[in-house]
Amino acid sequence: MVITTVGQFRPSLGSRGLIEGPTGGVRPLGTVLLIEHRDEVFAPLERELRRIGRRVYRASRSEDVMRIHIDTKIDMTLSNYELPDSSCWLTAAKLRMFDGTARIWLYTVRHTIRDRLWAALLGIEKVVPYDGDLFDLSGRIAEMLSASR
């Protein structure tokens, strides 16, 4: 499903895969919440995630994240570092308080030591740096998710 700015849901097709869970057990990773406000960035990421069998939900604003997590079983959250209405750190902290076992990945063109420290503090599993090439980013994320089966 994709959430629009008016809060309506639209289904996005996909199937379930398996990944290694934080406790070492295997758990399904079929649904990914993609926090991305720009359509031109969302589209290639969604296409790659759907290609590897993931169901994709979209949050265009940080306030949509909790609502989607309440309404839907989300297996992993993938967030852009640059959010228009809130910092990715605040959004991750709120999500962590809501769900202490949430899997959170972050992608960014900015990747500093300070960012890695914030990510560690908030329990963000991966910070994926990229140089602005969205096709490379979407391919690497899909590869990383497929390898974790």
Side-chain angles (χ1 to χ4, degrees), residues 19-20 29 76-81 88-89 92 96 102-108 110-111 115-116 118-120 122-129 137 140-149:
I19 62 154
E20 188 78 10
L29 177 63
M76 188 189 85
T77 299
L78 176 62
S79 178
N80 183 349
Y81 178 90
C88 63
W89 309 123
R96 182 65 58 217
R103 299 186 63 142
I104 305 169
W105 288 14
L106 179 69
Y107 59 93
T108 179
R110 176 184 151 171
H111 191 211
D115 295 331
R116 283 186 289 237
W118 271 109
L122 294 169
I124 294 173
E125 287 184 22
K126 293 190 188 298
V127 177
V128 183
L137 173 66
R140 281 191 300 126
I141 288 173
E143 192 175 291
M144 289 165 42
L145 283 171
S146 293
S148 66
R149 282 185 170 204

mmCIF file of all heavy atoms in Angstrom, residues 19-20 29 76-81 88-89 92 96 102-108 110-111 115-116 118-120 122-129 137 140-149:
data_model
loop_
_atom_site.group_PDB
_atom_site.id
_atom_site.type_symbol
_atom_site.label_atom_id
_atom_site.label_comp_id
_atom_site.label_asym_id
_atom_site.label_seq_id
_atom_site.Cartn_x
_atom_site.Cartn_y
_atom_site.Cartn_z
ATOM 1 N N ILE A 19 14.204 -13.175 6.255
ATOM 2 C CA ILE A 19 15.467 -12.578 6.641
ATOM 3 C C ILE A 19 15.845 -13.076 8.020
ATOM 4 O O ILE A 19 15.029 -13.617 8.742
ATOM 5 C CB ILE A 19 15.411 -11.036 6.677
ATOM 6 C CG1 ILE A 19 14.396 -10.584 7.702
ATOM 7 C CG2 ILE A 19 15.136 -10.449 5.343
ATOM 8 C CD1 ILE A 19 14.699 -9.241 8.230
ATOM 9 N N GLU A 20 17.077 -12.861 8.365
ATOM 10 C CA GLU A 20 17.567 -13.208 9.693
ATOM 11 C C GLU A 20 17.089 -12.134 10.663
ATOM 12 O O GLU A 20 17.320 -10.949 10.453
ATOM 13 C CB GLU A 20 19.092 -13.254 9.672
ATOM 14 C CG GLU A 20 19.703 -13.791 10.926
ATOM 15 C CD GLU A 20 19.630 -15.305 10.996
ATOM 16 O OE1 GLU A 20 19.284 -15.950 10.008
ATOM 17 O OE2 GLU A 20 19.917 -15.818 12.083
ATOM 18 N N LEU A 29 10.220 -10.963 6.004
ATOM 19 C CA LEU A 29 10.463 -9.564 5.665
ATOM 20 C C LEU A 29 9.741 -9.298 4.360
ATOM 21 O O LEU A 29 10.331 -9.264 3.303
ATOM 22 C CB LEU A 29 11.954 -9.264 5.518
ATOM 23 C CG LEU A 29 12.280 -7.829 5.099
ATOM 24 C CD1 LEU A 29 11.820 -6.849 6.160
ATOM 25 C CD2 LEU A 29 13.731 -7.648 4.843
ATOM 26 N N MET A 76 10.218 -3.887 7.961
ATOM 27 C CA MET A 76 11.404 -3.041 7.947
ATOM 28 C C MET A 76 11.023 -1.644 7.485
ATOM 29 O O MET A 76 10.155 -1.493 6.626
ATOM 30 C CB MET A 76 12.467 -3.589 6.996
ATOM 31 C CG MET A 76 13.773 -2.819 7.138
ATOM 32 S SD MET A 76 14.973 -3.249 5.886
ATOM 33 C CE MET A 76 14.457 -2.179 4.585
ATOM 34 N N THR A 77 11.668 -0.649 8.069
ATOM 35 C CA THR A 77 11.450 0.737 7.666
ATOM 36 C C THR A 77 12.733 1.251 7.028
ATOM 37 O O THR A 77 13.813 1.132 7.612
ATOM 38 C CB THR A 77 11.067 1.603 8.875
ATOM 39 O OG1 THR A 77 9.852 1.089 9.433
ATOM 40 C CG2 THR A 77 10.866 3.052 8.481
ATOM 41 N N LEU A 78 12.608 1.816 5.848
ATOM 42 C CA LEU A 78 13.725 2.379 5.098
ATOM 43 C C LEU A 78 13.444 3.867 4.924
ATOM 44 O O LEU A 78 12.420 4.243 4.363
ATOM 45 C CB LEU A 78 13.840 1.685 3.739
ATOM 46 C CG LEU A 78 14.892 2.184 2.770
ATOM 47 C CD1 LEU A 78 16.296 2.013 3.349
ATOM 48 C CD2 LEU A 78 14.763 1.442 1.444
ATOM 49 N N SER A 79 14.349 4.700 5.448
ATOM 50 C CA SER A 79 14.069 6.139 5.478
ATOM 51 C C SER A 79 15.155 6.946 4.788
ATOM 52 O O SER A 79 16.347 6.654 4.913
ATOM 53 C CB SER A 79 13.964 6.617 6.931
ATOM 54 O OG SER A 79 13.744 8.015 6.982
ATOM 55 N N ASN A 80 14.713 7.989 4.117
ATOM 56 C CA ASN A 80 15.618 8.995 3.588
ATOM 57 C C ASN A 80 16.150 9.805 4.772
ATOM 58 O O ASN A 80 15.429 10.077 5.728
ATOM 59 C CB ASN A 80 14.846 9.907 2.635
ATOM 60 C CG ASN A 80 15.707 10.951 1.968
ATOM 61 O OD1 ASN A 80 16.853 11.182 2.325
ATOM 62 N ND2 ASN A 80 15.138 11.600 0.974
ATOM 63 N N TYR A 81 17.402 10.197 4.707
ATOM 64 C CA TYR A 81 17.999 11.034 5.741
ATOM 65 C C TYR A 81 17.339 12.407 5.768
ATOM 66 O O TYR A 81 17.112 12.976 6.828
ATOM 67 C CB TYR A 81 19.505 11.174 5.456
ATOM 68 C CG TYR A 81 20.241 12.057 6.419
ATOM 69 C CD1 TYR A 81 20.801 11.529 7.576
ATOM 70 C CD2 TYR A 81 20.404 13.415 6.174
ATOM 71 C CE1 TYR A 81 21.493 12.331 8.468
ATOM 72 C CE2 TYR A 81 21.091 14.217 7.057
ATOM 73 C CZ TYR A 81 21.626 13.682 8.198
ATOM 74 O OH TYR A 81 22.302 14.476 9.073
ATOM 75 N N CYS A 88 15.293 12.745 10.490
ATOM 76 C CA CYS A 88 15.208 11.283 10.439
ATOM 77 C C CYS A 88 15.505 10.707 11.815
ATOM 78 O O CYS A 88 14.974 9.660 12.180
ATOM 79 C CB CYS A 88 16.177 10.730 9.398
ATOM 80 S SG CYS A 88 17.906 11.058 9.755
ATOM 81 N N TRP A 89 16.322 11.412 12.612
ATOM 82 C CA TRP A 89 16.663 10.927 13.957
ATOM 83 C C TRP A 89 15.442 10.959 14.876
ATOM 84 O O TRP A 89 15.193 10.017 15.625
ATOM 85 C CB TRP A 89 17.810 11.752 14.546
ATOM 86 C CG TRP A 89 18.978 11.869 13.629
ATOM 87 C CD1 TRP A 89 19.540 13.029 13.161
ATOM 88 C CD2 TRP A 89 19.740 10.809 13.048
ATOM 89 N NE1 TRP A 89 20.593 12.741 12.329
ATOM 90 C CE2 TRP A 89 20.741 11.376 12.248
ATOM 91 C CE3 TRP A 89 19.671 9.418 13.113
ATOM 92 C CZ2 TRP A 89 21.658 10.628 11.530
ATOM 93 C CZ3 TRP A 89 20.579 8.661 12.405
ATOM 94 C CH2 TRP A 89 21.554 9.266 11.630
ATOM 95 N N ALA A 92 13.056 8.202 13.763
ATOM 96 C CA ALA A 92 13.556 6.888 14.200
ATOM 97 C C ALA A 92 13.360 6.709 15.702
ATOM 98 O O ALA A 92 12.992 5.621 16.163
ATOM 99 C CB ALA A 92 15.020 6.726 13.825
ATOM 100 N N ARG A 96 11.210 3.837 17.414
ATOM 101 C CA ARG A 96 11.859 2.945 18.380
ATOM 102 C C ARG A 96 11.043 2.878 19.674
ATOM 103 O O ARG A 96 10.913 1.828 20.274
ATOM 104 C CB ARG A 96 13.279 3.439 18.653
ATOM 105 C CG ARG A 96 14.086 2.615 19.578
ATOM 106 C CD ARG A 96 14.427 1.224 19.096
ATOM 107 N NE ARG A 96 15.152 1.239 17.848
ATOM 108 C CZ ARG A 96 14.962 0.334 16.892
ATOM 109 N NH1 ARG A 96 14.101 -0.629 17.047
ATOM 110 N NH2 ARG A 96 15.632 0.392 15.779
ATOM 111 N N ALA A 102 11.769 -2.707 15.962
ATOM 112 C CA ALA A 102 11.637 -2.273 14.561
ATOM 113 C C ALA A 102 12.986 -2.294 13.867
ATOM 114 O O ALA A 102 13.993 -1.881 14.437
ATOM 115 C CB ALA A 102 11.043 -0.865 14.506
ATOM 116 N N ARG A 103 12.980 -2.812 12.650
ATOM 117 C CA ARG A 103 14.191 -2.794 11.821
ATOM 118 C C ARG A 103 14.183 -1.496 11.036
ATOM 119 O O ARG A 103 13.253 -1.242 10.273
ATOM 120 C CB ARG A 103 14.202 -3.981 10.888
ATOM 121 C CG ARG A 103 14.211 -5.308 11.652
ATOM 122 C CD ARG A 103 14.377 -6.425 10.701
ATOM 123 N NE ARG A 103 15.676 -6.239 10.077
ATOM 124 C CZ ARG A 103 16.503 -7.225 9.772
ATOM 125 N NH1 ARG A 103 16.160 -8.452 10.018
ATOM 126 N NH2 ARG A 103 17.668 -6.977 9.218
ATOM 127 N N ILE A 104 15.222 -0.686 11.209
ATOM 128 C CA ILE A 104 15.279 0.620 10.556
ATOM 129 C C ILE A 104 16.582 0.723 9.776
ATOM 130 O O ILE A 104 17.664 0.494 10.328
ATOM 131 C CB ILE A 104 15.206 1.770 11.586
ATOM 132 C CG1 ILE A 104 13.972 1.630 12.467
ATOM 133 C CG2 ILE A 104 15.223 3.118 10.871
ATOM 134 C CD1 ILE A 104 13.955 2.560 13.671
ATOM 135 N N TRP A 105 16.469 1.068 8.489
ATOM 136 C CA TRP A 105 17.617 1.375 7.647
ATOM 137 C C TRP A 105 17.452 2.817 7.190
ATOM 138 O O TRP A 105 16.349 3.328 7.061
ATOM 139 C CB TRP A 105 17.673 0.479 6.420
ATOM 140 C CG TRP A 105 18.047 -0.943 6.693
ATOM 141 C CD1 TRP A 105 18.089 -1.587 7.894
ATOM 142 C CD2 TRP A 105 18.395 -1.913 5.710
ATOM 143 N NE1 TRP A 105 18.452 -2.898 7.713
ATOM 144 C CE2 TRP A 105 18.645 -3.121 6.386
ATOM 145 C CE3 TRP A 105 18.513 -1.885 4.330
ATOM 146 C CZ2 TRP A 105 19.024 -4.286 5.715
ATOM 147 C CZ3 TRP A 105 18.884 -3.039 3.669
ATOM 148 C CH2 TRP A 105 19.144 -4.219 4.351
ATOM 149 N N LEU A 106 18.575 3.447 6.926
ATOM 150 C CA LEU A 106 18.607 4.852 6.524
ATOM 151 C C LEU A 106 19.492 4.967 5.297
ATOM 152 O O LEU A 106 20.538 4.322 5.233
ATOM 153 C CB LEU A 106 19.188 5.660 7.683
ATOM 154 C CG LEU A 106 19.356 7.152 7.544
ATOM 155 C CD1 LEU A 106 17.992 7.824 7.498
ATOM 156 C CD2 LEU A 106 20.160 7.674 8.717
ATOM 157 N N TYR A 107 19.090 5.764 4.327
ATOM 158 C CA TYR A 107 19.971 6.038 3.186
ATOM 159 C C TYR A 107 20.222 7.535 3.105
ATOM 160 O O TYR A 107 19.349 8.344 3.407
ATOM 161 C CB TYR A 107 19.413 5.479 1.872
ATOM 162 C CG TYR A 107 18.054 5.993 1.468
ATOM 163 C CD1 TYR A 107 17.930 7.090 0.626
ATOM 164 C CD2 TYR A 107 16.896 5.366 1.911
ATOM 165 C CE1 TYR A 107 16.689 7.555 0.241
ATOM 166 C CE2 TYR A 107 15.652 5.816 1.533
ATOM 167 C CZ TYR A 107 15.559 6.908 0.695
ATOM 168 O OH TYR A 107 14.330 7.375 0.316
ATOM 169 N N THR A 108 21.458 7.869 2.713
ATOM 170 C CA THR A 108 21.854 9.270 2.753
ATOM 171 C C THR A 108 23.024 9.555 1.826
ATOM 172 O O THR A 108 23.861 8.691 1.595
ATOM 173 C CB THR A 108 22.243 9.681 4.197
ATOM 174 O OG1 THR A 108 22.654 11.043 4.201
ATOM 175 C CG2 THR A 108 23.378 8.829 4.730
ATOM 176 N N ARG A 110 24.815 12.049 2.753
ATOM 177 C CA ARG A 110 25.672 12.571 3.811
ATOM 178 C C ARG A 110 25.934 11.441 4.798
ATOM 179 O O ARG A 110 25.007 10.817 5.295
ATOM 180 C CB ARG A 110 24.930 13.714 4.505
ATOM 181 C CG ARG A 110 25.635 14.282 5.665
ATOM 182 C CD ARG A 110 24.757 15.328 6.322
ATOM 183 N NE ARG A 110 25.091 15.365 7.720
ATOM 184 C CZ ARG A 110 24.657 16.263 8.540
ATOM 185 N NH1 ARG A 110 23.824 17.179 8.115
ATOM 186 N NH2 ARG A 110 25.015 16.245 9.785
ATOM 187 N N HIS A 111 27.195 11.181 5.082
ATOM 188 C CA HIS A 111 27.510 10.063 5.961
ATOM 189 C C HIS A 111 28.736 10.431 6.785
ATOM 190 O O HIS A 111 29.872 10.268 6.346
ATOM 191 C CB HIS A 111 27.764 8.809 5.110
ATOM 192 C CG HIS A 111 27.828 7.566 5.933
ATOM 193 N ND1 HIS A 111 28.601 6.501 5.595
ATOM 194 C CD2 HIS A 111 27.217 7.205 7.077
ATOM 195 C CE1 HIS A 111 28.476 5.541 6.481
ATOM 196 N NE2 HIS A 111 27.628 5.955 7.388
ATOM 197 N N ASP A 115 26.753 10.993 12.208
ATOM 198 C CA ASP A 115 25.583 10.245 11.738
ATOM 199 C C ASP A 115 25.654 8.790 12.178
ATOM 200 O O ASP A 115 24.646 8.203 12.593
ATOM 201 C CB ASP A 115 25.474 10.307 10.210
ATOM 202 C CG ASP A 115 25.205 11.712 9.707
ATOM 203 O OD1 ASP A 115 24.576 12.502 10.442
ATOM 204 O OD2 ASP A 115 25.623 12.017 8.586
ATOM 205 N N ARG A 116 26.821 8.188 12.101
ATOM 206 C CA ARG A 116 26.971 6.790 12.534
ATOM 207 C C ARG A 116 26.715 6.659 14.030
ATOM 208 O O ARG A 116 26.134 5.670 14.487
ATOM 209 C CB ARG A 116 28.352 6.264 12.170
ATOM 210 C CG ARG A 116 28.461 5.915 10.699
ATOM 211 C CD ARG A 116 29.780 5.273 10.430
ATOM 212 N NE ARG A 116 30.820 6.280 10.538
ATOM 213 C CZ ARG A 116 31.681 6.574 9.583
ATOM 214 N NH1 ARG A 116 31.653 5.922 8.456
ATOM 215 N NH2 ARG A 116 32.576 7.513 9.747
ATOM 216 N N TRP A 118 24.730 8.651 15.892
ATOM 217 C CA TRP A 118 23.286 8.793 16.073
ATOM 218 C C TRP A 118 22.580 7.500 15.692
ATOM 219 O O TRP A 118 21.654 7.047 16.385
ATOM 220 C CB TRP A 118 22.727 9.948 15.243
ATOM 221 C CG TRP A 118 22.749 11.256 15.945
ATOM 222 C CD1 TRP A 118 23.552 12.323 15.669
ATOM 223 C CD2 TRP A 118 21.928 11.663 17.040
ATOM 224 N NE1 TRP A 118 23.286 13.351 16.530
ATOM 225 C CE2 TRP A 118 22.288 12.967 17.389
ATOM 226 C CE3 TRP A 118 20.925 11.032 17.770
ATOM 227 C CZ2 TRP A 118 21.682 13.661 18.415
ATOM 228 C CZ3 TRP A 118 20.315 11.732 18.804
ATOM 229 C CH2 TRP A 118 20.696 13.026 19.111
ATOM 230 N N ALA A 119 23.000 6.900 14.585
ATOM 231 C CA ALA A 119 22.388 5.651 14.127
ATOM 232 C C ALA A 119 22.572 4.549 15.174
ATOM 233 O O ALA A 119 21.640 3.812 15.472
ATOM 234 C CB ALA A 119 22.982 5.229 12.790
ATOM 235 N N ALA A 120 23.769 4.459 15.742
ATOM 236 C CA ALA A 120 24.025 3.439 16.766
ATOM 237 C C ALA A 120 23.166 3.691 18.002
ATOM 238 O O ALA A 120 22.598 2.761 18.579
ATOM 239 C CB ALA A 120 25.502 3.425 17.124
ATOM 240 N N LEU A 122 20.277 5.091 18.179
ATOM 241 C CA LEU A 122 18.861 4.835 17.910
ATOM 242 C C LEU A 122 18.583 3.414 17.424
ATOM 243 O O LEU A 122 17.440 3.072 17.139
ATOM 244 C CB LEU A 122 18.350 5.837 16.872
ATOM 245 C CG LEU A 122 18.333 7.283 17.365
ATOM 246 C CD1 LEU A 122 18.081 8.239 16.213
ATOM 247 C CD2 LEU A 122 17.296 7.454 18.455
ATOM 248 N N GLY A 123 19.609 2.592 17.321
ATOM 249 C CA GLY A 123 19.405 1.214 16.901
ATOM 250 C C GLY A 123 19.098 1.062 15.423
ATOM 251 O O GLY A 123 18.445 0.100 15.020
ATOM 252 N N ILE A 124 19.571 1.988 14.614
ATOM 253 C CA ILE A 124 19.386 1.873 13.167
ATOM 254 C C ILE A 124 20.366 0.816 12.666
ATOM 255 O O ILE A 124 21.564 0.908 12.911
ATOM 256 C CB ILE A 124 19.605 3.236 12.476
ATOM 257 C CG1 ILE A 124 18.495 4.197 12.911
ATOM 258 C CG2 ILE A 124 19.651 3.088 10.966
ATOM 259 C CD1 ILE A 124 18.663 5.616 12.440
ATOM 260 N N GLU A 125 19.842 -0.206 11.999
ATOM 261 C CA GLU A 125 20.672 -1.336 11.583
ATOM 262 C C GLU A 125 21.705 -0.976 10.536
ATOM 263 O O GLU A 125 22.840 -1.439 10.592
ATOM 264 C CB GLU A 125 19.796 -2.459 11.018
ATOM 265 C CG GLU A 125 19.018 -3.190 12.054
ATOM 266 C CD GLU A 125 18.251 -4.355 11.454
ATOM 267 O OE1 GLU A 125 18.613 -4.853 10.373
ATOM 268 O OE2 GLU A 125 17.270 -4.758 12.088
ATOM 269 N N LYS A 126 21.304 -0.211 9.547
ATOM 270 C CA LYS A 126 22.218 0.127 8.453
ATOM 271 C C LYS A 126 22.032 1.573 8.050
ATOM 272 O O LYS A 126 20.919 2.072 7.998
ATOM 273 C CB LYS A 126 21.951 -0.747 7.229
ATOM 274 C CG LYS A 126 22.280 -2.212 7.422
ATOM 275 C CD LYS A 126 22.224 -2.950 6.106
ATOM 276 C CE LYS A 126 22.355 -4.436 6.292
ATOM 277 N NZ LYS A 126 23.574 -4.888 6.875
ATOM 278 N N VAL A 127 23.163 2.216 7.758
ATOM 279 C CA VAL A 127 23.165 3.519 7.110
ATOM 280 C C VAL A 127 23.803 3.275 5.753
ATOM 281 O O VAL A 127 24.969 2.905 5.671
ATOM 282 C CB VAL A 127 23.944 4.573 7.909
ATOM 283 C CG1 VAL A 127 23.991 5.890 7.156
ATOM 284 C CG2 VAL A 127 23.336 4.761 9.289
ATOM 285 N N VAL A 128 23.017 3.442 4.698
ATOM 286 C CA VAL A 128 23.476 3.155 3.351
ATOM 287 C C VAL A 128 23.844 4.467 2.665
ATOM 288 O O VAL A 128 22.959 5.252 2.329
ATOM 289 C CB VAL A 128 22.385 2.411 2.543
ATOM 290 C CG1 VAL A 128 22.889 2.050 1.155
ATOM 291 C CG2 VAL A 128 21.892 1.191 3.303
ATOM 292 N N PRO A 129 25.139 4.716 2.473
ATOM 293 C CA PRO A 129 25.532 5.945 1.779
ATOM 294 C C PRO A 129 25.365 5.787 0.266
ATOM 295 O O PRO A 129 25.463 4.671 -0.259
ATOM 296 C CB PRO A 129 27.006 6.096 2.150
ATOM 297 C CG PRO A 129 27.476 4.730 2.465
ATOM 298 C CD PRO A 129 26.282 3.954 2.950
ATOM 299 N N LEU A 137 21.699 3.074 -5.785
ATOM 300 C CA LEU A 137 21.166 2.929 -4.428
ATOM 301 C C LEU A 137 20.094 1.847 -4.369
ATOM 302 O O LEU A 137 20.146 0.966 -3.522
ATOM 303 C CB LEU A 137 20.585 4.254 -3.932
ATOM 304 C CG LEU A 137 19.838 4.189 -2.597
ATOM 305 C CD1 LEU A 137 20.789 3.861 -1.465
ATOM 306 C CD2 LEU A 137 19.094 5.488 -2.336
ATOM 307 N N ARG A 140 21.650 -1.602 -4.746
ATOM 308 C CA ARG A 140 22.405 -2.037 -3.564
ATOM 309 C C ARG A 140 21.478 -2.424 -2.424
ATOM 310 O O ARG A 140 21.716 -3.412 -1.726
ATOM 311 C CB ARG A 140 23.385 -0.948 -3.110
ATOM 312 C CG ARG A 140 24.629 -0.925 -3.974
ATOM 313 C CD ARG A 140 25.739 -0.058 -3.428
ATOM 314 N NE ARG A 140 25.314 1.331 -3.303
ATOM 315 C CZ ARG A 140 25.390 2.041 -2.182
ATOM 316 N NH1 ARG A 140 25.878 1.527 -1.097
ATOM 317 N NH2 ARG A 140 24.986 3.295 -2.164
ATOM 318 N N ILE A 141 20.413 -1.653 -2.206
ATOM 319 C CA ILE A 141 19.465 -1.986 -1.140
ATOM 320 C C ILE A 141 18.792 -3.327 -1.436
ATOM 321 O O ILE A 141 18.683 -4.188 -0.557
ATOM 322 C CB ILE A 141 18.440 -0.861 -0.927
ATOM 323 C CG1 ILE A 141 19.141 0.328 -0.262
ATOM 324 C CG2 ILE A 141 17.265 -1.331 -0.092
ATOM 325 C CD1 ILE A 141 18.300 1.566 -0.147
ATOM 326 N N ALA A 142 18.373 -3.527 -2.672
ATOM 327 C CA ALA A 142 17.747 -4.792 -3.055
ATOM 328 C C ALA A 142 18.733 -5.950 -2.857
ATOM 329 O O ALA A 142 18.359 -7.019 -2.363
ATOM 330 C CB ALA A 142 17.266 -4.732 -4.510
ATOM 331 N N GLU A 143 19.980 -5.741 -3.234
ATOM 332 C CA GLU A 143 21.008 -6.773 -3.067
ATOM 333 C C GLU A 143 21.228 -7.095 -1.590
ATOM 334 O O GLU A 143 21.344 -8.261 -1.204
ATOM 335 C CB GLU A 143 22.304 -6.266 -3.702
ATOM 336 C CG GLU A 143 23.380 -7.302 -3.863
ATOM 337 C CD GLU A 143 24.563 -6.717 -4.603
ATOM 338 O OE1 GLU A 143 24.434 -6.427 -5.810
ATOM 339 O OE2 GLU A 143 25.617 -6.535 -3.964
ATOM 340 N N MET A 144 21.295 -6.077 -0.751
ATOM 341 C CA MET A 144 21.498 -6.277 0.671
ATOM 342 C C MET A 144 20.306 -7.031 1.282
ATOM 343 O O MET A 144 20.496 -7.911 2.123
ATOM 344 C CB MET A 144 21.708 -4.939 1.378
ATOM 345 C CG MET A 144 23.049 -4.316 1.033
ATOM 346 S SD MET A 144 23.264 -2.563 1.460
ATOM 347 C CE MET A 144 22.563 -2.373 3.032
ATOM 348 N N LEU A 145 19.098 -6.694 0.881
ATOM 349 C CA LEU A 145 17.920 -7.385 1.388
ATOM 350 C C LEU A 145 17.863 -8.836 0.896
ATOM 351 O O LEU A 145 17.534 -9.736 1.657
ATOM 352 C CB LEU A 145 16.643 -6.667 0.975
ATOM 353 C CG LEU A 145 16.326 -5.409 1.770
ATOM 354 C CD1 LEU A 145 15.156 -4.665 1.130
ATOM 355 C CD2 LEU A 145 16.009 -5.735 3.208
ATOM 356 N N SER A 146 18.195 -9.054 -0.354
ATOM 357 C CA SER A 146 18.192 -10.414 -0.899
ATOM 358 C C SER A 146 19.253 -11.275 -0.232
ATOM 359 O O SER A 146 19.035 -12.461 0.020
ATOM 360 C CB SER A 146 18.435 -10.381 -2.407
ATOM 361 O OG SER A 146 17.351 -9.772 -3.056
ATOM 362 N N ALA A 147 20.410 -10.697 0.076
ATOM 363 C CA ALA A 147 21.497 -11.447 0.708
ATOM 364 C C ALA A 147 21.164 -11.825 2.132
ATOM 365 O O ALA A 147 21.728 -12.769 2.677
ATOM 366 C CB ALA A 147 22.782 -10.624 0.665
ATOM 367 N N SER A 148 20.251 -11.109 2.772
ATOM 368 C CA SER A 148 19.922 -11.375 4.161
ATOM 369 C C SER A 148 18.855 -12.447 4.327
ATOM 370 O O SER A 148 18.371 -12.671 5.410
ATOM 371 C CB SER A 148 19.496 -10.089 4.871
ATOM 372 O OG SER A 148 18.292 -9.601 4.336
ATOM 373 N N ARG A 149 18.482 -13.133 3.267
ATOM 374 C CA ARG A 149 17.469 -14.208 3.339
ATOM 375 C C ARG A 149 17.958 -15.357 4.150
ATOM 376 O O ARG A 149 19.040 -15.764 4.171
ATOM 377 C CB ARG A 149 17.105 -14.698 1.951
ATOM 378 C CG ARG A 149 16.167 -13.766 1.268
ATOM 379 C CD ARG A 149 15.738 -14.323 -0.047
ATOM 380 N NE ARG A 149 14.673 -13.473 -0.515
ATOM 381 C CZ ARG A 149 13.768 -13.836 -1.348
ATOM 382 N NH1 ARG A 149 13.752 -15.035 -1.834
ATOM 383 N NH2 ARG A 149 12.832 -13.020 -1.731
#
